[in-house]
Amino acid sequence: MVAYGKAALLYTIIWFCLILGTECFGDEYSNTIRRLSVKSGGSVTIPCYYDRKYTQQKKYWYSETDKSYTNTTAGDVTVIDDPAQSLFTVTMRNLTGQHNGTYYCIVKTVEQPGDMTTTDDIYLHVQSDPDVSVMSSSVTVDEGGNISVQCLYSTKFKDKTNKQWCRYKDKRCYTSQDASVKISDDGNKSFTVVMSGLMKSDSGWYYCSVGDKPPSLEYLQVPFQLTVTGAATPDTTEGIKIAVWQWLPVSAVFLLLMILVGVFIWKWKRRSEEDKKHIKMRNDCVVTDTVTSTPEDVVIYSTINDENPDNKMSPSDSNIETTYCLVEDPSGHKAVPEDGTIYSFVEPHDQNPEEQ
């Protein structure tokens, strides 16, 4: 099998180089083998990136230990393809020492029927107390936000200066020169990575690493998934509640103002109707006969036309409406008797002229 032969040759070369104490690989081969340190009894999710031209092809997780291929969910192993990100993930659960060994991320190609392409080689190292781990293996943050990742390492890596934070996709490792990423080592079994001003393009898989550069077998990684979402949006319901409470005092004042305006308009109309009624009553006093007076007269008689024909004046009617009119002498002076009283007799009009 192609993958098995490649791995055997690779490990032979690595051990040969270690024995001789020479550096056999350049930087271009620095990430060929990924050694993952995982906790016994726990789980791990491993990203496997591939070329976009293999988006429609089947992907497999191959175990060198039991010579098995998996491309779905089988037992404690789940393989999920994400063509939009050009990667598939492999999740292994309930890990024990029996899971120690080499694994391969494999894509079935179409160039030659039955041919396979290995995209990644992984060596899984299961430990009760992992040499390197993270406090949390994934985090989701809003765009523009910050994250802080604590990478833990064992005592034997305390004096190692090569502690890194890298991205799987482009194999970029950040340094202290990067403005958006700050790495600080407390010198006591942990170093902290702070990423600020995150954008959606920062989403992806990263890893903490400690130890010498490959091909050293002490070079260990632990995966970490970062997801950056769109800016947070406020809760619509909560926003409505806030708006209601803000506008409630204003609405109350406006309602009170409308009530006051309504009362004013009502009183104004009522006053106007009363004024019209008084004017009508004054106009109802129409003098129809010519008034004659002499200096000797002390009483002036005048016939008054009541323009309300329905009113019948009856001395016994206590509800009768009496109209009083001021009669003036046509000559321009009032004829006032000695007692100062002016009398005017109001004659009601009957509906039947014959009764008059």
Side-chain angles (χ1 to χ4, degrees):
M1 188 238 178
V2 176
Y4 177 77
K6 178 180 178 181
L9 176 61
L10 177 62
Y11 284 116
T12 301
I13 296 174
I14 290 175
W15 281 110
F16 180 75
C17 293
L18 289 175
I19 293 173
L20 294 179
T22 60
E23 184 174 347
C24 301
F25 301 96
D27 291 338
E28 69 277 3
Y29 211 77
S30 61
N31 285 330
T32 298
I33 302 176
R34 290 162 50 191
R35 290 179 55 84
L36 304 185
S37 177
V38 294
K39 185 175 180 60
S40 176
S43 63
V44 63
T45 299
I46 303 166
C48 298
Y49 282 88
Y50 55 80
D51 194 291
R52 287 190 178 274
K53 65 182 180 180
Y54 298 132
T55 298
Q56 302 301 322
Q57 308 308 312
K58 289 185 177 182
K59 287 81 182 180
Y60 297 92
W61 176 248
Y62 178 76
S63 171
E64 186 67 42
T65 303
D66 54 16
K67 306 295 189 293
S68 63
Y69 290 90
T70 305
N71 69 345
T72 56
T73 298
D76 291 329
V77 180
T78 300
V79 178
I80 300 176
D81 190 15
D82 186 359
Q85 301 296 325
S86 296
L87 66 87
F88 67 96
T89 57
V90 180
T91 300
M92 300 180 67
R93 297 172 290 273
N94 300 319
L95 295 168
T96 66
Q98 295 180 349
H99 292 101
N100 287 335
T102 305
Y103 298 82
Y104 303 96
C105 300
I106 295 177
V107 175
K108 184 177 181 180
T109 61
V110 295
E111 285 82 359
Q112 296 180 5
D115 196 8
M116 302 282 188
T117 296
T118 301
T119 63
D120 247 328
D121 300 345
I122 295 99
Y123 182 83
L124 203 60
H125 189 35
V126 181
Q127 300 173 286
S128 58
D129 186 15
D131 285 328
V132 59
S133 61
V134 288
M135 293 297 294
S136 177
S137 60
S138 65
V139 68
T140 300
V141 64
D142 292 328
E143 191 171 18
N146 309 325
I147 63 166
S148 178
V149 183
Q150 188 175 14
C151 303
L152 309 176
Y153 55 83
S154 62
T155 306
K156 65 181 179 182
F157 292 102
K158 181 178 180 179
D159 297 328
K160 300 290 183 180
T161 58
N162 191 30
K163 302 177 178 71
Q164 294 181 308
W165 175 254
C166 306
R167 185 162 60 181
Y168 275 115
K169 185 175 182 179
D170 54 11
K171 298 180 174 61
R172 176 188 177 185
C173 291
Y174 297 86
T175 66
S176 58
Q177 303 301 319
D178 293 288
S180 60
V181 178
K182 301 296 181 183
I183 303 175
S184 59
D185 185 5
D186 64 4
N188 187 24
K189 302 176 64 175
S190 74
F191 68 94
T192 303
V193 179
V194 177
M195 300 182 70
S196 58
L198 292 167
M199 299 183 294
K200 288 185 178 180
S201 57
D202 293 318
S203 295
W205 285 87
Y206 296 77
Y207 62 88
C208 300
S209 68
V210 295
D212 298 326
K213 289 184 177 181
S216 171
L217 296 181
E218 286 187 349
Y219 185 77
L220 299 174
Q221 301 176 0
V222 58
F224 177 88
Q225 184 181 22
L226 170 62
T227 303
V228 182
T229 62
T233 56
D235 184 2
T236 304
T237 304
E238 189 65 25
I240 293 176
K241 290 181 180 178
I242 294 175
V244 169
W245 281 108
Q246 289 177 342
W247 282 99
L248 189 59
V250 178
S251 301
V253 173
F254 180 76
L255 180 60
L256 180 60
L257 181 62
M258 292 299 294
I259 293 175
L260 293 176
V261 171
V263 171
F264 174 80
I265 294 175
W266 176 76
K267 287 188 174 182
W268 180 80
K269 287 185 176 181
R270 184 179 179 184
R271 177 91 178 257
S272 178
E273 291 176 357
E274 290 178 353
D275 291 344
K276 289 180 180 179
K277 182 177 180 181
H278 293 160
I279 292 173
K280 183 178 183 303
M281 291 175 63
R282 186 170 62 247
N283 292 338
D284 285 345
C285 296
V286 179
V287 178
T288 58
D289 292 345
T290 303
V291 179
T292 59
S293 65
T294 62
E296 293 79 11
D297 294 330
V298 296
V299 179
I300 299 175
Y301 298 94
S302 176
T303 301
I304 305 301
N305 179 22
D306 182 4
E307 294 186 356
N308 184 3
D310 293 335
N311 285 340
K312 294 183 179 180
M313 298 190 63
S314 172
S316 63
D317 190 356
S318 60
N319 296 325
I320 194 69
E321 180 178 358
T322 304
T323 303
Y324 299 92
C325 298
L326 175 65
V327 180
E328 294 185 356
D329 188 346
S331 63
H333 65 272
K334 297 180 180 179
V336 182
E338 294 180 357
D339 60 359
T341 303
I342 299 175
Y343 298 93
S344 176
F345 296 96
V346 179
E347 179 180 355
H349 290 268
D350 197 296
Q351 294 182 352
N352 188 355
E354 296 179 356
E355 296 179 0
Q356 293 183 352

